[in-house]
């Protein structure tokens, strides 16, 4: 900081470097910033994040603190969230898995718990007792993390917080056997929804983040971030293979094989499989319909 004197008035101005990051993942707004940015970015106040965990099956994250605001992402049951501010029903902060910022309902956050399993089927049901005839207590989509205990006497269910879950719908965290492309195929027909990233509703980059995340490979949230930071570029002379990522302007999909792509898209309004040629044709107005091809090491 330097000062200059003009008459009886001293004028101050800030000098030096300012760290300007991606607004989607840099925890600062006009009145407040994360304490980690103190000394790097100026804010009137700095906050130590309050760490909480998603306790609803899925919690929408919004661009602004009201229910009609655009959804930008989603927090799954069992995922962590750093709260920087609470006003009324709404909390502002960021997801711990990808640092993505937004507003969500504070009541849908709770204390941390030790999740043991993750839903690897498109969805599962929590039932009151380990029986196919038991009443349904809750529904959790793919990506939800649960704290499970012992198997039921019949071996078909695992005990969890509010009841029992079919063991066939779960995988131990870090032990998901299916490949990202396999997991994406399980979600064919899942409705498309901007900001979605679960087995209930999903967008293109949410699909990539979800299915690679189940395998323990963390991807950034949005397609442009994934293009810039995720995986390795494929040379043009290397054929595409199952599991490769193809990026279009504002869009991304996962190759089912060398010629077909799995993607959450607004044309089908769902996760669907179609030929890469058909998907590419919808971007024909762009000089470069396919802007990147990438492969993720597993």
């Amino acid at each position: 900081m330097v000062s200059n004197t003009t008459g009886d008035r001293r004028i101050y101005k800030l000098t030096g470097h300012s760290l300007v990051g991606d607004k989607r993942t840099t925890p600062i707004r006009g009145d407040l910033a994360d304490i980690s940015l103190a000394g790097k970015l100026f804010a009137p106040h700095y906050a130590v994040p309050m760490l909480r965990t998603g306790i609803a099956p899925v919690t929408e994250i919004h661009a602004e603190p009201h229910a009609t605001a655009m959804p930008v992402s989603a927090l799954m049951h069992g995922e962590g969230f750093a709260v920087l501010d609470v006003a009324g029903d709404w909390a502002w902060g960021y997801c711990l898995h990808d640092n993505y910022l937004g507003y969500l309902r504070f009541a849908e956050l709770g204390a941390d718990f030790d999740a043991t399993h993750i839903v690897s089927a498109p969805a599962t049901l929590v039932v009151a007792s380990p029986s196919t005839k038991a009443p349904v207590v809750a529904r959790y989509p793919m990506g939800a993390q649960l704290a499970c205990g012992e198997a039921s006497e019949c071996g078909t269910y695992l005990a969890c917080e509010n009841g029992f879950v079919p063991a066939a719908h779960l995988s131990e965290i870090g032990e998901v056997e299916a490949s990202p492309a396999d997991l994406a195929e399980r979600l064919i027909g899942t409705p498309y929804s901007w900001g979605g990233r679960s087995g209930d509703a999903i967008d293109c980059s949410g699909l990539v983040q979800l299915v690679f995340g189940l395998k323990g490979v963390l991807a950034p949230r949005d397609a442009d971030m994934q293009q810039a930071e995720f995986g390795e570029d494929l040379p043009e002379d290397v054929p595409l293979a199952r599991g490769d990522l193809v990026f279009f302007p504002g869009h991304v999909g996962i190759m089912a094989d060398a010629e077909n792509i799995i993607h959450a898209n607004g044309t089908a309004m769902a996760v669907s499989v179609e030929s890469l040629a058909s998907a590419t044709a919808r971007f024909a107005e762009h000089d470069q319909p396919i802007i990147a091809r990438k492969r993720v090491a597993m």
Side-chain angles (χ1 to χ4, degrees):
M1 178 181 291
V2 299
S3 65
N4 296 310
T5 302
T6 303
D8 295 330
R9 186 175 59 180
R10 178 165 289 181
I11 301 172
Y12 291 89
K13 65 178 181 178
L14 293 172
T15 61
H17 297 289
S18 176
L19 176 65
V20 179
D22 192 315
K23 292 181 179 179
R24 294 167 292 183
T25 56
T26 304
I28 187 170
R29 65 185 190 189
D31 62 330
L32 184 67
D34 189 288
I35 189 66
S36 65
L37 296 178
K40 301 175 183 178
L41 290 175
F42 173 76
H45 303 282
Y46 296 94
V48 176
M50 176 174 58
L51 303 184
R52 291 292 182 266
T53 302
I55 57 173
V58 184
T59 298
E60 277 196 334
I61 298 174
H62 297 262
E64 299 176 5
H66 54 86
T68 58
M70 181 182 71
V72 294
S73 194
L75 187 76
M76 305 298 299
H77 187 274
E79 290 183 331
F81 191 83
V83 177
L84 296 173
D85 185 38
V86 179
D89 296 334
W90 294 87
W92 176 69
Y94 53 92
C95 301
L96 293 181
H97 62 275
D98 61 7
N99 298 322
Y100 210 84
L101 286 159
Y103 294 85
L104 47 65
R105 293 187 184 277
F106 185 66
E108 296 188 12
L109 299 174
D112 190 24
F113 59 89
D114 294 325
T116 59
H117 290 72
I118 192 164
V119 179
S120 51
T124 194
L125 300 176
V126 180
V127 292
S129 61
S131 167
T132 57
K133 298 180 181 179
V136 173
V137 175
R139 182 183 190 277
Y140 290 96
M142 181 185 284
Q145 300 178 26
L146 303 173
C148 297
E150 297 296 322
S152 62
E153 188 173 331
C154 66
T156 305
Y157 294 84
L158 292 179
C160 72
E161 54 194 76
N162 296 319
F164 296 84
V165 179
H169 294 168
L170 302 174
S171 298
E172 291 185 25
I173 292 175
E175 301 296 331
V176 176
E177 293 184 3
S179 71
D182 294 338
L183 294 164
E185 286 178 336
R186 293 178 186 177
L187 293 174
I188 291 172
T190 299
Y192 176 87
S193 179
W194 186 274
R197 52 178 295 269
S198 79
D200 279 349
I202 204 159
D203 64 20
C204 66
S205 55
L207 177 64
V208 171
Q209 190 184 58
L210 174 62
V211 300
F212 280 92
L214 262 72
K215 297 291 293 182
V217 183
L218 301 181
R221 177 60 185 92
D222 291 341
D224 64 317
M225 297 172 167
Q226 293 170 2
Q227 180 191 340
E229 305 170 26
F230 193 54
E232 299 295 330
D233 288 315
L234 279 180
E236 288 297 325
D237 60 347
V238 175
L240 288 165
R242 182 173 175 83
D244 288 342
L245 302 179
V246 175
F247 292 86
F248 310 87
H251 188 61
V252 62
I254 304 167
M255 296 304 295
D257 52 43
E259 298 180 350
N260 297 287
I261 192 167
I262 314 162
H263 57 151
N265 61 91
T267 300
M269 288 305 295
V271 178
S272 65
V273 180
E274 64 177 315
S275 70
L276 178 61
S278 295
T280 303
R282 290 201 290 275
F283 296 88
E285 72 275 14
H286 296 273
D287 293 336
Q288 189 178 0
I290 294 178
I291 55 178
R293 307 180 327 146
K294 306 196 80 171
R295 182 166 292 169
V296 181
M298 301 296 295

